[in-house]
């Protein structure tokens, strides 16, 4: 994109003068062959031999003319044009077809533009993004641990372990203010949650396999697993009509309640068992469960203060047009 934009800028600057296009290319107003005193049939060896001879004569250290630097720069431009076969072919094409200005300029521009190997650029970009992604994962993990302190079943388990190890003995908190005691206790419980509890879902500590670059590398494999999983399910339960196994029942239950795999893992065993007993893999049970959830949502809404205020305002015909439930 940057290359194309630069080309358009240069082209716009030169469009005011057709001759201006040629002035910026190859040997400018000069004929490269005439600059070197060569015929168009000259060989590559003759070009090199002539350049060495003229370079000694026209070099500013030897040439005392006022325009010595200009003469030498034109010689160098002529040599650079004629020594390379591709550039020389473009220049010969220009000499034979001088009227197609912008095609010549495009050819010249694309030859002069440095070729950039995008491989290293992509590699460095992926490495930088991977580091940023991993740092974000670590930050999210720390926030999740702080949140886990307020999840009742995790805090209870951590507290039970801390009590069993005597980490919450009152003697450790002597002389502390209540705020300091609370901070010290939270730190102890946080360390236990991180190191000793089998926490899953959004609380898992990032591993090297979570790095973006690694995930991109294994993405084709994971996609293949996903495709195989669903083809296998379709074959077993739709075509063959097999009874659902434990894995399929859990999958259908998780989908029915709208939870991702990580959020499902965050549920307590008791909560998962409660959902499992509802047998949501059966269509009738799933529909009944959805109706039950909708009814609970309606009841929660009806009991909310905001909803009650809205109903009162409706009776008085004062409901705002953009009222949000």
């Amino acid at each position: 994109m940057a290359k194309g934009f630069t080309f358009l800028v240069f082209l716009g600057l030169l469009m005011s003068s057709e001759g201006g296009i040629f002035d910026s290319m190859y040997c400018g107003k000069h004929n490269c062959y005439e600059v070197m005193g060569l015929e168009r049939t000259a060989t590559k060896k003759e070009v090199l031999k002539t350049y060495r001879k003229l370079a000694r004569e026209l070099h500013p250290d030897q040439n005392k003319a006022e325009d010595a630097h200009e003469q030498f720069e034109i010689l160098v431009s002529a040599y650079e044009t004629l020594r390379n076969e591709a550039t020389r072919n473009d220049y010969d094409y220009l000499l034979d077809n001088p009227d197609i200005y912008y095609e010549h300029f495009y050819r010249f521009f694309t030859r002069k533009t440095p070729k950039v190997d995008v491989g290293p650029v992509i590699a460095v970009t992926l490495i930088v993004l991977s580091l940023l992604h991993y740092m974000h994962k670590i930050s999210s993990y720390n926030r999740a641990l702080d949140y886990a302190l307020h999840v009742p079943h995790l805090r209870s388990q951590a507290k039970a372990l801390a009590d069993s190890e005597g980490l919450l003995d009152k003697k450790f908190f002597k002389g502390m203010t209540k705020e300091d005691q609370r901070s010290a206790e939270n730190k102890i419980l946080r360390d236990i949650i991180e190191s000793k509890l089998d926490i899953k879902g959004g609380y898992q500590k990032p591993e090297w396999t979570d790095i973006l670059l690694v995930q991109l590398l294994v993405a084709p494999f994971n996609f293949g697993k996903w495709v195989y999983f669903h083809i296998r399910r379709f074959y077993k339960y739709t075509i063959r009509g097999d009874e659902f196994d434990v894995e399929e029942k859990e999958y259908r239950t998780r989908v029915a309640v709208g939870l991702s795999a990580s959020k499902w893992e965050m549920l307590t065993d008791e909560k998962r068992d409660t959902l499992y007993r509802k047998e949501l893999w059966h269509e009738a049970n799933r529909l009944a469960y959805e109706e039950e959830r909708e009814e609970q949502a309606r009841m929660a809404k009806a009991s909310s203060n905001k909803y009650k205020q809205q109903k009162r305002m409706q009776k008085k015909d004062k409901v705002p047009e953009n009222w949000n439930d």
Side-chain angles (χ1 to χ4, degrees):
M1 182 179 290
K3 178 178 174 180
F5 176 75
T6 306
F7 169 70
L8 290 175
V9 170
F10 276 117
L11 188 58
L13 291 173
L14 295 171
M15 281 180 67
S16 60
S17 171
E18 294 172 347
I21 294 178
F22 292 126
D23 291 346
S24 65
M25 298 160 53
Y26 304 111
C27 299
K29 297 178 181 179
H30 304 276
N31 183 300
C32 294
Y33 289 103
E34 292 177 358
V35 168
M36 299 190 68
L38 295 171
E39 298 292 333
R40 288 181 61 174
T41 56
T43 63
K44 193 173 183 179
K45 187 175 181 181
E46 290 174 330
V47 171
L48 177 59
K49 183 179 178 181
T50 302
Y51 170 71
R52 287 176 176 173
K53 176 185 175 183
L54 293 175
R56 287 192 294 269
E57 296 176 3
L58 299 178
H59 194 279
D61 291 342
Q62 302 295 328
N63 185 6
K64 302 305 180 183
E66 293 183 1
D67 61 345
H69 284 282
E70 183 181 351
Q71 291 181 28
F72 188 73
E73 288 176 358
I74 294 173
L75 173 64
V76 172
S77 297
Y79 173 67
E80 291 296 329
T81 299
L82 301 180
R83 76 182 183 89
N84 181 280
E85 184 177 352
T87 307
R88 184 173 177 177
N89 288 337
D90 286 346
Y91 183 64
D92 288 343
Y93 183 67
L94 181 149
L95 294 177
D96 294 334
N97 305 276
D99 296 330
I100 48 177
Y101 310 105
Y102 304 123
E103 180 180 347
H104 295 314
F105 181 77
Y106 178 76
R107 284 169 172 260
F108 176 80
F109 176 81
T110 52
R111 294 279 185 204
K112 290 294 182 182
T113 302
K115 299 297 187 292
V116 179
D117 186 359
V118 297
V121 176
I122 294 175
V124 171
T125 301
L126 284 177
I127 290 172
V128 171
L129 290 177
S130 296
L131 289 174
L132 293 174
H133 180 251
Y134 188 72
M135 290 170 63
H136 173 71
K137 283 273 191 181
I138 291 292
S139 177
S140 298
Y141 171 67
N142 288 327
R143 289 198 302 271
L145 283 178
D146 292 336
Y147 173 74
L149 283 172
H150 301 92
V151 176
H153 75 277
L154 291 176
R155 189 178 181 90
S156 297
Q157 292 179 48
K159 200 164 187 177
L161 282 172
D163 285 333
S164 67
E165 296 179 12
L167 298 177
L168 297 179
D169 197 303
K170 292 183 178 180
K171 65 182 180 181
F172 295 124
F173 303 102
K174 277 187 177 181
M176 292 186 180
T177 64
K178 288 185 177 181
E179 185 177 346
D180 289 340
Q181 288 180 20
R182 188 160 49 249
S183 297
E185 179 180 323
N186 283 339
K187 185 178 184 307
I188 292 171
L189 297 180
R190 188 182 189 279
D191 291 340
I192 289 177
I193 289 174
E194 181 177 14
S195 61
K196 296 187 177 182
L197 294 187
D198 182 22
I199 55 177
K200 298 178 181 179
Y203 302 141
Q204 293 155 309
K205 188 172 184 178
E207 303 289 345
W208 67 271
T209 51
D210 295 319
I211 296 175
L212 177 62
L213 185 59
V214 176
Q215 290 183 348
L216 289 175
L217 291 174
V218 300
F221 172 73
N222 290 335
F223 179 72
K225 283 177 58 179
W226 180 85
V227 171
Y228 171 75
F229 174 73
H230 287 285
I231 290 178
R232 173 178 166 274
R233 288 183 60 244
F234 181 77
Y235 175 70
K236 284 186 66 176
Y237 307 119
T238 302
I239 296 179
R240 289 197 329 193
D242 292 355
E243 290 188 7
F244 300 146
D245 57 18
V246 175
E247 180 185 9
E248 181 65 14
K249 289 178 180 179
E250 182 176 297
Y251 173 78
R252 288 178 177 255
T253 301
R254 176 170 65 79
V255 172
V257 297
L259 294 178
S260 64
S262 61
K263 289 184 177 180
W264 175 261
E265 291 294 334
M266 291 170 62
L267 298 179
T268 62
D269 292 337
E270 181 181 356
K271 179 64 175 176
R272 285 201 293 265
D273 289 342
T274 299
L275 291 171
Y276 195 80
R277 285 195 295 270
K278 291 180 180 291
E279 298 186 356
L280 300 179
W281 50 87
H282 296 303
E283 184 69 10
N285 294 345
R286 183 183 65 81
L287 293 174
Y289 176 74
E290 289 179 356
E291 290 181 3
E292 180 184 339
R293 290 178 67 181
E294 290 175 0
E295 181 61 27
Q296 290 174 351
R298 283 194 294 269
M299 292 177 64
K301 178 181 176 181
S303 62
S304 69
N305 291 331
K306 187 173 182 179
Y307 182 76
K308 291 176 181 178
Q309 182 183 3
Q310 180 185 5
K311 298 301 288 184
R312 287 195 296 269
M313 294 176 71
Q314 281 179 338
K315 291 179 180 179
K316 297 178 181 180
D317 295 326
K318 294 182 180 180
V319 180
E321 292 183 3
N322 295 321
W323 182 276
N324 294 318
D325 290 336

